Amino acid sequence: MHITHDIEKPRHIHTIGLVIRPRSTHLYPHYQRLKDALEQYGATLLVEEDSAKLLGIKGIPIEEMFEKSDILISIGGDGTLLSLSRKSYHHHKPLLGINAGNLGFLTDINLDELEEFIDKIFKNDYRIDYRMVLEVKLLSPVGDKKLIAFNDIVLSRPTIEGMIKLDAYASSKRAVMPKHHLNTYYGDGLIISTPTGSTAYNLSAGGPIIFPLTEALILTPICPHSLTERPIVLPADFEVEFSSEDETIIVVDGQDTYNLKFFSAIQISIAQRGIKMIHRSDRNYFKVLKQKLHWGSE
């Protein structure tokens, strides 16, 4: 199973939706810069209600903004863009992250490049990358709960004391492999990451960096009890399932939290549809790695 690749650019960009990082009232001047830059091309900027309150302006409900917008922009850090990507997922609109944070793996357009890049967008000098996301099912006899994760799903112990035991199962249609026991993880937890999320918590836990346009699942143990436990990368068609008799916390993209004790298991696979990310035409991922991770010399 592979996600469908559809990176066609919008034919016309008339309306742009905006969210800004929470509690960031100081971003008003940059909102005004963005608004002025868009108005030069006759484009309208719509601002989501919560962001509008921070800016002291009138906003619109977020779902209405998603429906009316041709593209969506976040001003903030990677977390702001992550939140926007998940909330807008079913609207399938291209996303642009403008970096007002620190690291900025996803939000690679800096504030000082704002006007220049808006100009490039309207001159069709940009590209869209298609990033895979995780489809998550929290299984329950009373009804499953479905979620989307852009970076990762983290299964972890609820407190600093003790460890958790996770039973992991895997299945694959392409490999003609029915569900079977993959491993029993015993330690602080496990990270199930996308290639995009491989430079987030996965990297800190010793997991591999995977080129972001790859389609794969990355399973990285967190402080495993056995030193023989190592990260494993699974093909795109695999589905993994986890269950535990220990109390286990489920963290989605570092933002939403659930408790596995309320569910019988959690299933994770690659969603049929990914997320469209707007980047500069000449963006080089390896140059980004060198810059952000301070690799080597120029």
Side-chain angles (χ1 to χ4, degrees):
M1 179 182 66
H2 293 273
I3 57 177
T4 303
H5 288 276
D6 174 19
I7 54 173
E8 182 180 354
K9 297 176 183 177
R11 293 184 178 180
H12 305 286
I13 299 177
H14 299 301
T15 307
I16 294 86
L18 174 69
V19 299
I20 68 168
R21 184 173 54 200
R23 300 178 296 281
S24 298
T25 54
H26 67 285
L27 292 177
Y28 179 85
H30 305 296
Y31 148 75
Q32 190 62 56
R33 289 172 57 204
L34 176 61
K35 185 172 180 289
D36 292 344
L38 292 171
E39 285 179 348
Q40 290 186 20
Y41 291 93
T44 301
L45 181 62
L46 303 177
V47 183
E48 174 268 335
E49 282 178 320
D50 291 337
S51 297
K53 289 178 183 177
L54 291 171
L55 298 172
I57 61 173
K58 185 177 180 180
I60 66 171
I62 193 166
E63 285 296 320
E64 182 181 349
M65 183 188 76
F66 291 155
E67 291 171 5
K68 292 182 176 180
S69 298
D70 300 306
I71 66 172
L72 301 170
I73 294 178
S74 72
I75 300 180
D78 282 355
T80 310
L81 183 57
L82 276 174
S83 177
L84 176 61
S85 70
R86 291 171 52 226
K87 290 176 180 177
S88 66
Y89 174 74
H90 295 290
H91 295 271
H92 203 46
K93 302 294 176 71
L95 308 177
L96 169 65
I98 297 177
N99 185 26
N102 295 314
L103 198 56
F105 269 102
L106 300 175
T107 53
D108 65 322
I109 306 300
N110 295 320
L111 285 170
D112 58 2
E113 302 171 297
L114 190 155
E115 289 88 354
E116 177 186 357
F117 193 72
I118 292 300
D119 187 57
K120 288 184 176 182
I121 285 178
F122 283 93
K123 291 179 179 177
N124 204 34
D125 182 14
Y126 70 99
R127 78 167 195 248
I128 294 180
D129 288 351
Y130 203 72
R131 304 292 184 91
M132 60 153 276
V133 297
L134 300 177
E135 180 178 272
V136 183
K137 293 180 183 178
L138 301 178
L139 305 182
S140 168
V142 297
D144 301 341
K145 185 175 183 63
K146 295 184 179 181
L147 308 168
I148 290 295
F150 190 8
N151 260 4
D152 52 40
I153 297 291
V154 177
L155 307 177
S156 69
R157 55 185 181 172
T159 63
I160 196 169
E161 298 93 358
M163 291 184 277
I164 57 172
K165 184 171 75 171
L166 290 166
D167 286 312
Y169 303 84
S171 61
S172 166
K173 293 180 180 178
R174 188 175 65 182
V176 195
M177 187 181 75
K179 186 173 80 170
H180 73 288
H181 188 257
L182 172 67
N183 199 355
T184 296
Y185 293 97
Y186 189 47
D188 285 3
L190 183 72
I191 303 164
I192 304 93
S193 172
T194 65
T196 296
S198 68
T199 49
Y201 193 8
N202 169 75
L203 181 60
S204 298
I209 296 174
I210 305 294
F211 189 77
L213 302 187
T214 307
E215 296 175 12
L217 292 168
I218 310 161
L219 276 57
T220 301
I222 306 170
C223 298
H225 182 262
S226 171
L227 296 181
T228 61
E229 294 288 359
R230 288 292 182 261
I232 183 171
V233 179
L234 299 175
D237 67 299
F238 269 60
E239 178 179 82
V240 289
E241 181 177 313
F242 304 93
S243 60
S244 179
E245 295 182 359
D246 299 323
E247 186 169 3
T248 303
I249 300 302
I250 303 165
V251 184
V252 183
D253 281 338
Q255 297 177 339
D256 295 334
T257 304
Y258 302 87
N259 197 318
L260 187 56
K261 71 180 181 181
F262 298 116
F263 305 93
S264 57
I266 176 173
Q267 288 181 344
I268 301 173
S269 60
I270 294 177
Q272 288 283 356
R273 193 175 70 190
I275 287 175
K276 295 188 280 190
M277 301 285 296
I278 297 174
H279 290 292
R280 54 169 64 91
S281 296
D282 60 352
R283 184 178 192 263
N284 184 307
Y285 180 69
F286 299 105
K287 185 175 181 180
V288 173
L289 287 181
K290 287 183 66 177
Q291 176 189 4
K292 303 300 182 182
L293 301 181
H294 306 289
W295 282 359
S297 59
E298 294 294 338

